[in-house]
Amino acid sequence: MSSTVKIKSVQTFKLEKVPDLIHLSYLTGLKKGRVLFFSSGLHPVHGRFTVLSLNPLFSIKSDFGELLKALFSIKDFSQINGMPMALFSGWMNYECLEFIEKVDANKKSLQVVPDFHFIFSDSFIVIDNFEKRAELVLLETNHSVTSINERKQLYFEELAADIPDIDYELGAIKAKALISKKKYVESVNEIRRRIGAGDVYQVNFTYPVEIKTEIPSWVLFYKYLAKNHADYAAFINSSEVEVLSISPECFFRIENGEKVSSFPIKGTIKKGINQQEDQALKFELAQSRKDFAELAMIVDLIRNDIGKVANPGTVKVEKHAELFEFPTLFHLVSTVSGEIEKEKAIELFKSLFPGGSITGAPKISAMKIISELEEYKRNIYTGAIGFTGLNGTAVFNIPIRTVQRVDNVLIYSTGGGITFKSDPEKEFEETLVKTRAFLNIFDEAEMVFTRVSSNS
């Protein structure tokens, strides 16, 4: 099937009631191929829109060049009331770097996950979280197989149907980290040695955690997000893998095909038990020379990545090291932006991918060290999740705080940026803080560290 898309007409229908998180999670779980991009709506830039892609028509998962061409191809149509549509939505694995850079990322995979998978849809629920309005947006395209009126009736019936009761306990689970603490500390010290030798400035080191459960993914996503604010959350209900991401980090946004912005995150500290302790922890993070140095290196890397494609003189750091508050964590966030020619979106993606905040700097040197030290493929984790719409509009997150589910096996990966001044014990504890963000949705969660490979 050709991936060329022609939009013939668009109709919008106002919803009397704005669907809440539990309703959106359930609707996504109803049908394979549906994708939800959820924003909590607490930030004027990051949290304005939530988009549910309802009607999968075809997917691209075998030709990377075709994918990039299709993602940014729909230009000759105006936005509808300024509301975004996730025409193509899906993911790219971290290992897609092999299509762009000469870096060998081959290693064992814990799950069979396509390198990339993007789904085209002609039907959406779009929510403006600031104006508290929701619309059903239906397109007639050259790929549409049912009429707008047929789809309108179907989706209004779905919205009116009762939601199953999920007011029950999630029970106890065991989370198995596929690394030992000894191995983790050795890897951090090896990275510090490489930094001292001048091979690299910073490396993001990660490891996977395996969890088994029979609880439906839409329930897990609802429980996960309900406890953790996120403006770049995503629930992908594909037939190959179900993805539950509550990432706080925007990889990049393209507005009107011309302005690109990236929002790297570095520096993590857990929240306290009261306001006084929170203030002390925020002050500690704000004074952390290690975290500021780490963020500064990544900001410089992203400025360089955008600058390779952007119009001369347009790249700038709009904000640096803003302190963002989340339900369980504090982070430092910067904003880097630039302006590009509309036809350079593919070139921009290749320059940015994978995101510098989850590789390290210099990027290629860091990726080579990651390939040496990490035992398993990252797959979707730290790749890219997002959507593209009309006229070059695109929003992608970096999939951290992300679950990949195949059958009843869940993989949740965790990690952090390592610099020369990193304390292995503190870095280890930071990975536990990040993992608890997901484990805390269960009534009881035991985490054990192990090694499962024959060469351990």
Side-chain angles (χ1 to χ4, degrees), residues 195 200-204 266 294 297-298 359-362 366 417-419:
I195 295 171
V200 70
Y201 306 124
Q202 177 194 15
V203 175
N204 190 277
K266 282 296 170 188
E294 188 178 348
M297 284 186 279
I298 298 307
T359 59
I418 309 301
T419 67

Side-chain angles (χ1 to χ4, degrees), residues 13-142:
F13 306 91
K14 185 177 180 180
L15 303 184
E16 292 185 5
K17 181 180 178 181
V18 177
D20 59 14
L21 173 59
I22 188 171
H23 208 154
L24 292 167
S25 301
Y26 176 65
L27 288 173
T28 311
L30 272 180
K31 184 175 181 180
K32 291 297 181 184
R34 287 186 173 177
V35 184
L36 171 64
F37 297 99
F38 186 90
S39 291
S40 296
L42 300 181
H43 192 280
V45 174
H46 302 284
R48 179 159 186 176
F49 291 106
T50 289
V51 185
L52 170 55
S53 174
L54 288 164
N55 191 39
L57 294 175
F58 69 89
S59 62
I60 303 175
K61 53 185 176 180
S62 60
D63 187 318
F64 191 71
E66 178 194 5
L67 171 65
L68 291 182
K69 184 178 179 180
L71 288 182
F72 301 102
S73 64
I74 306 173
K75 300 176 181 177
D76 299 324
F77 213 90
S78 62
Q79 291 278 35
I80 305 301
N81 298 329
M83 304 182 87
M85 287 176 274
L87 297 175
F88 284 98
S89 54
W91 76 82
M92 295 182 190
N93 286 358
Y94 169 81
E95 286 75 24
C96 281
L97 64 91
E98 293 183 330
F99 297 116
I100 300 170
E101 303 287 357
K102 294 181 179 179
V103 178
D104 182 8
N106 289 328
K107 55 186 72 175
K108 291 187 293 185
S109 182
L110 292 165
Q111 297 170 320
V112 179
V113 177
D115 284 334
F116 50 88
H117 188 178
F118 276 75
I119 301 162
F120 175 76
S121 175
D122 63 0
S123 306
F124 317 91
I125 293 173
V126 184
I127 300 171
D128 187 326
N129 295 309
F130 275 46
E131 295 188 5
K132 306 299 182 185
R133 65 184 174 97
E135 296 193 29
L136 178 65
V137 182
L138 304 177
L139 284 64
E140 182 187 359
T141 76
N142 57 319

Side-chain angles (χ1 to χ4, degrees), residues 288-337:
S288 171
R289 294 178 64 185
K290 180 261 184 186
D291 289 317
F292 266 74
E294 188 178 348
L295 182 58
M297 284 186 279
I298 298 307
V299 166
D300 191 54
L301 185 155
I302 292 174
R303 280 172 50 188
N304 183 63
D305 284 350
I306 294 177
K308 292 176 183 177
V309 182
N311 298 333
T314 64
V315 180
K316 58 184 176 180
V317 180
E318 295 186 12
K319 297 177 182 177
H320 185 56
E322 281 189 288
L323 198 148
F324 272 53
E325 181 176 348
F326 299 92
T328 60
L329 304 167
F330 296 109
H331 283 303
L332 297 175
V333 184
S334 292
T335 302
V336 186
S337 67

Side-chain angles (χ1 to χ4, degrees), residues 175-219:
K176 182 168 64 175
L178 303 184
I179 194 172
S180 66
K181 182 177 179 181
K182 179 176 181 290
K183 175 63 176 177
Y184 179 87
V185 170
E186 288 174 350
S187 297
V188 170
N189 284 329
E190 173 61 16
I191 291 169
R192 292 177 67 243
R193 187 190 70 79
R194 300 283 189 94
I195 295 171
D199 298 339
V200 70
Y201 306 124
Q202 177 194 15
V203 175
N204 190 277
F205 181 70
T206 74
Y207 62 86
V209 178
E210 183 182 82
I211 304 158
K212 294 182 180 179
T213 183
E214 296 181 358
I215 297 169
S217 291
W218 74 269
V219 176

Side-chain angles (χ1 to χ4, degrees), residues 268-272 277-278 281 328-330 429 433 436:
T268 302
I269 198 166
K270 65 181 179 181
K271 295 186 71 174
E277 192 172 318
D278 277 350
L281 289 166
T328 60
L329 304 167
F330 296 109
E429 178 60 32
V433 170
R436 291 188 193 111

Side-chain angles (χ1 to χ4, degrees), residues 240-269:
E240 288 88 352
V241 58
E242 294 168 6
V243 186
L244 293 68
S245 176
I246 62 158
S247 175
E249 183 166 1
C250 177
F251 179 20
F252 70 88
R253 304 164 63 97
I254 302 178
E255 301 168 59
N256 299 318
E258 295 176 321
K259 181 179 179 181
V260 57
S261 303
S262 185
F263 305 88
I265 291 178
K266 282 296 170 188
T268 302
I269 198 166

